[in-house]
Amino acid sequence: PVQERDARWRTLRTDCCLLSYLTDTAAARDILSIARQTNEDIGTIEKLAGFPISGKPVPITLIDNVWGNGAYAADELVITYVDRAYIGLDLNSVIRHEAAHWAMRPLENETPTMLQEGVSVYLSGGHYKTEPIPERASALLASDLYIPLDDLTDNFRSHQHEIAYIEAAGLVAYLTETYGWDQFLALYAADDIGLADSAWLDTALQNTYSKSLRQIERDYRTWLRAHPPSDQVDDLNLTIALFDTIRQYQDLYAPYQESLPTAQEAIDAGLTAEFIR
């Protein structure tokens, strides 16, 4: 199609961000409203985190095809923006999630992936949409989907995506509600432990809260049981089924590049095809 053959890169600088997008795409059409949303969402994350986001302007690339779950954070934030988004993402939630990754990155020393993703879901107020995180994590217990924390920390990417992310977010919510945000930041930024994954987490928890991973897990499960899941059980299970189906569809008919060039690399080389339809 001519709009794909003739696509060119454009950029827009805002108070917070540098938005890169392709001409004649949904992002190009809506770029001013997207710019307003990114400014608001970056401000929301800064307020919740309690410190300004470094590395501004935050580089954000808006792509005209569906990438996996719809976004990722690397040397820039990459976000799907299409009219026919079968993944059904809420743009504000996606921007907040990836912006939280960008904000927390300077604090990451040996931080396990489980906490990195958990805090991003927690700060963004949900995974794919605004959600009551304690009740949604409690739904894991009610559905017999809860993963022991040592296993979740050691094998985070191997577990079902939606289960792993909401359980991790629930843990962050529990620690923050119980001990405060500042203490959680101390846990998150712990350094020089010399261990990895669940061994790191066990030591970091003892150093921060004077409790082992086993004790924290026992208290976390008790906290979850104090938050009845109500309608979150059906919603969680339907979300899991939906995204498992989406991933099967992508494997069969819509494979995507695991790693894209950055926008600046693409602009310098005149690359557009990887980022459109």
Side-chain angles (χ1 to χ4, degrees):
V2 66
Q3 74 271 18
E4 295 182 20
R5 296 200 311 269
D6 295 344
R8 297 293 181 269
W9 284 101
R10 297 288 183 267
T11 59
L12 176 65
R13 174 74 179 264
T14 72
D15 292 340
C16 71
C17 307
L18 183 65
L19 301 172
S20 299
Y21 58 96
L22 290 165
T23 56
D24 293 317
T25 60
R29 181 194 65 218
D30 299 338
I31 193 61
L32 294 181
S33 64
I34 295 170
R36 286 192 296 271
Q37 283 182 269
T38 55
N39 283 335
E40 292 172 4
D41 290 327
I42 292 288
T44 296
I45 293 300
E46 289 181 322
K47 183 177 180 180
L48 292 171
F51 53 82
I53 290 178
S54 60
K56 288 182 179 177
V58 178
I60 299 177
T61 300
L62 301 160
I63 61 175
D64 195 51
N65 53 29
V66 175
W67 187 96
N69 299 315
Y72 68 88
D75 294 331
E76 60 184 354
L77 308 185
V78 177
I79 297 174
T80 287
Y81 192 88
V82 296
D83 286 327
R84 297 176 66 185
Y86 59 82
I87 45 177
L89 295 176
D90 170 65
L91 183 61
N92 290 109
S93 295
V94 176
I95 294 171
R96 289 195 299 267
H97 182 102
E98 303 307 335
H101 277 305
W102 195 267
M104 298 298 288
R105 188 173 296 177
L107 301 178
E108 292 166 7
N109 295 305
E110 302 165 341
T111 316
T113 300
M114 186 271 288
L115 286 182
Q116 294 178 25
E117 295 297 351
V119 77
S120 289
V121 175
Y122 171 73
L123 288 175
S124 59
H127 195 185
Y128 300 116
K129 60 184 185 296
T130 300
E131 300 164 331
I133 290 172
E135 289 75 15
R136 197 164 182 82
S138 178
L140 295 172
L141 283 179
S143 303
D144 198 24
L145 295 172
Y146 181 91
I147 303 164
L149 288 180
D150 57 351
D151 184 9
L152 182 65
T153 309
D154 290 338
N155 305 289
F156 186 79
R157 297 294 185 196
S158 299
H159 287 291
Q160 202 283 335
H161 183 96
E162 285 65 40
I163 295 172
Y165 274 55
I166 201 62
E167 183 174 325
L171 177 63
V172 175
Y174 160 70
L175 292 173
T176 300
E177 180 179 304
T178 305
Y179 300 102
W181 177 244
D182 288 343
Q183 271 196 281
F184 175 78
L185 290 180
L187 169 73
Y188 194 87
D191 198 6
D192 296 327
I193 291 178
L195 299 169
D197 300 328
S198 63
W200 179 96
L201 184 58
D202 183 50
T203 301
L205 288 168
Q206 293 185 57
N207 292 345
T208 307
Y209 304 118
S210 300
K211 288 191 174 184
S212 68
L213 176 56
R214 179 174 294 183
Q215 290 172 306
I216 288 291
E217 178 153 35
R218 180 196 62 205
D219 296 344
Y220 175 37
R221 290 172 66 98
T222 299
W223 181 82
L224 288 177
R225 285 190 286 268
H227 292 81
S230 62
D231 61 349
Q232 290 302 306
V233 173
D234 285 343
D235 191 279
L236 174 68
N237 282 280
L238 288 169
T239 300
I240 292 168
L242 170 63
F243 276 87
D244 281 349
T245 304
I246 286 171
R247 292 185 188 102
Q248 184 180 15
Y249 164 75
Q250 289 176 329
D251 287 343
L252 290 169
Y253 303 116
Y256 57 93
Q257 287 180 252
E258 191 65 29
S259 179
L260 289 164
T262 66
Q264 191 56 55
E265 290 170 337
I267 291 169
D268 291 344
L271 301 175
T272 60
E274 293 90 339
F275 304 85
I276 195 165
R277 199 177 53 127

